[in-house]
């Protein structure tokens, strides 16, 4: 199987996972939305970005927690709900729905023993404080906590092979990660994420792969949703997707140069019985 065929197969299986997520959300009346590169692909390509290899779905925190609860009884047996509570060595603050009997091995997590099936990411969105100083504090805590959790569980070893500044930063985080208890870091990070959820704020944010300033988006975008076509299926996403995509990507209609068409750094993909 060549790389193009492999990517087509990967996309098809990720779409099956997304359909299961949609089924649970529809059954339990849980709002959700395609976000980040998945929404960009829907708008610009009618589905997957041709070189992309994942899917991103978002939910407000209350809906996210309801989704996790629904999965405990309603998730199909072909799938696995992966959170830092369902699997001890999973260090991310968002969930993945994995496809059992498959493998998607990434360089970043090669030393971590956990379910590594083909997946779709599900991100909880929490309130951003309106006060700028409070935003900066929250942003710093996001940055520090997520990296401590990664390194605590053996991820990100490839950072030791980068530029000098990156290597120094890695070893500083490594030291603190090994001095602090894992459960304590998790609790502090969760407290940081949900701290302002009892307030009415203008923006919400999630623990995505971009900087906090980019991930922090207008609340109205995530609360006003409408259907959008993605490949052969229809999902929900932001009604004001042009404003969202412009915020995230600038001139999102323009294709990036080939050297910036990023994918996960993979070691192996195994489609199992599929």
């Amino acid at each position: 199987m060549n790389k193009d065929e492999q990517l087509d197969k990967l996309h098809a299986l990720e779409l099956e996972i997304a359909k299961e997520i949609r089924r649970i959300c529809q059954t339990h009346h849980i709002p959700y939305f395609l976000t980040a590169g998945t929404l960009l692909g829907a708008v610009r390509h009618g589905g997957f970005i041709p070189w992309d290899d994942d899917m991103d779905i978002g939910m407000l925190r209350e809906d996210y927690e309801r989704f996790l609860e629904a999965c405990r009884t309603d998730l199909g047996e072909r799938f696995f709900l992966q959170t830092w509570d369902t699997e001890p060595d999973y260090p991310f603050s968002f969930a993945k729905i994995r496809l059992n009997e498959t493998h998607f091995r990434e360089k970043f997590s090669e030393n971590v023993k956990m379910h590594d099936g083909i997946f779709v990411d599900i991100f909880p969105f929490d309130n951003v404080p309106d006060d700028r100083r409070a935003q900066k504090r929250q942003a710093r805590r996001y940055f520090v906590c997520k990296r401590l959790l990664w390194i605590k569980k053996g991820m990100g070893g490839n950072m030791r092979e980068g530029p000098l500044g990156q290597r120094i930063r890695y070893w500083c985080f490594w030291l603190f990660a090994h001095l602090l208890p894992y459960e304590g870091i998790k609790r502090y990070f969760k407290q940081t994420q949900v701290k302002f959820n009892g307030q009415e704020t203008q923006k919400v944010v999630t623990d995505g792969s971009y900087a906090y300033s980019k991930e922090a988006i207008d609340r109205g975008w995530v609360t006003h949703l409408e259907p959008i076509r993605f490949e052969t299926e229809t999902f929900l996403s932001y009604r004001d997707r042009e404003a969202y995509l412009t915020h995230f990507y600038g001139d999102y209609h323009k294709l990036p140069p080939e050297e910036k068409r990023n994918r996960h750094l993979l070691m192996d993909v195994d489609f199992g019985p599929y």
Side-chain angles (χ1 to χ4, degrees), residues 21-32 59 62-64 66-67 70 74 225 236:
I21 295 169
R22 181 186 62 188
R23 181 191 68 80
I24 292 175
C25 288
Q26 290 175 338
T27 299
H28 296 271
H29 309 290
I30 298 171
Y32 70 92
M59 301 175 189
E62 180 180 357
D63 300 319
Y64 174 83
R66 289 173 55 214
F67 175 81
D74 201 16
L225 307 174
L236 293 177

Side-chain angles (χ1 to χ4, degrees), residues 138-148 169 173:
Q138 190 180 52
R140 285 195 299 269
R141 292 167 183 173
Y142 265 66
F143 181 85
V144 171
C145 287
K146 66 196 297 184
R147 281 155 182 79
L148 289 175
R169 189 161 55 247
F173 277 113

Side-chain angles (χ1 to χ4, degrees), residues 68 72 82-88 90 92 183 186 190:
L68 298 187
R72 293 184 176 96
Q82 187 175 53
T83 71
W84 61 15
D85 294 320
T86 65
E87 191 164 24
Y90 178 77
F92 298 110
E183 291 298 324
K186 277 173 51 178
K190 179 69 175 290

Side-chain angles (χ1 to χ4, degrees), residues 176-224:
F176 280 105
H178 285 75
L179 291 174
L180 297 171
Y182 178 64
E183 291 298 324
I185 302 171
K186 277 173 51 178
R187 283 195 302 272
Y188 183 74
F189 193 11
K190 179 69 175 290
Q191 290 168 1
T192 296
Q193 290 176 301
V194 305
K195 182 176 181 178
F196 301 96
N197 283 3
Q199 305 176 13
E200 290 188 11
T201 64
Q202 297 179 13
K203 293 181 180 291
V204 293
V205 70
T206 193
D207 177 23
S209 58
Y210 294 93
Y212 176 96
S213 58
K214 182 174 284 191
E215 297 284 1
I217 62 174
D218 289 355
R219 174 181 302 281
W221 293 345
V222 305
T223 55
H224 295 86

Side-chain angles (χ1 to χ4, degrees), residues 84-236:
W84 61 15
D85 294 320
T86 65
E87 191 164 24
D89 287 326
Y90 178 77
F92 298 110
S93 68
F94 54 89
K96 296 179 186 283
I97 299 295
R98 299 269 193 180
L99 184 61
N100 291 327
E101 300 184 81
T102 67
H103 298 279
F104 186 88
R105 299 184 182 93
E106 301 176 60
K107 181 70 174 175
F108 185 77
S109 56
E110 64 178 320
N111 297 318
V112 184
K113 293 183 179 179
M114 64 180 185
H115 195 310
D116 61 0
I118 293 166
F119 64 91
V120 170
D121 287 324
I122 305 172
F123 294 95
F125 281 70
D126 295 292
N127 286 3
V128 170
D130 291 334
D131 179 75
R132 290 295 181 88
R133 287 176 297 181
Q135 288 177 17
K136 290 180 179 179
R137 286 194 296 270
Q138 190 180 52
R140 285 195 299 269
R141 292 167 183 173
Y142 265 66
F143 181 85
V144 171
C145 287
K146 66 196 297 184
R147 281 155 182 79
L148 289 175
L149 291 172
W150 294 348
I151 292 172
K152 188 78 173 177
K153 290 301 180 179
M155 290 188 173
N158 56 318
M159 295 166 63
R160 292 174 294 187
E161 304 166 4
L164 178 61
Q166 178 176 293
R167 283 180 279 151
I168 292 172
R169 189 161 55 247
Y170 172 85
W171 287 112
C172 288
F173 277 113
W174 184 93
L175 176 62
F176 280 105
H178 285 75
L179 291 174
L180 297 171
Y182 178 64
E183 291 298 324
I185 302 171
K186 277 173 51 178
R187 283 195 302 272
Y188 183 74
F189 193 11
K190 179 69 175 290
Q191 290 168 1
T192 296
Q193 290 176 301
V194 305
K195 182 176 181 178
F196 301 96
N197 283 3
Q199 305 176 13
E200 290 188 11
T201 64
Q202 297 179 13
K203 293 181 180 291
V204 293
V205 70
T206 193
D207 177 23
S209 58
Y210 294 93
Y212 176 96
S213 58
K214 182 174 284 191
E215 297 284 1
I217 62 174
D218 289 355
R219 174 181 302 281
W221 293 345
V222 305
T223 55
H224 295 86
L225 307 174
E226 66 181 14
I228 187 171
R229 196 74 174 169
F230 187 89
E231 299 293 339
T232 58
E233 300 295 325
T234 300
F235 296 91
L236 293 177

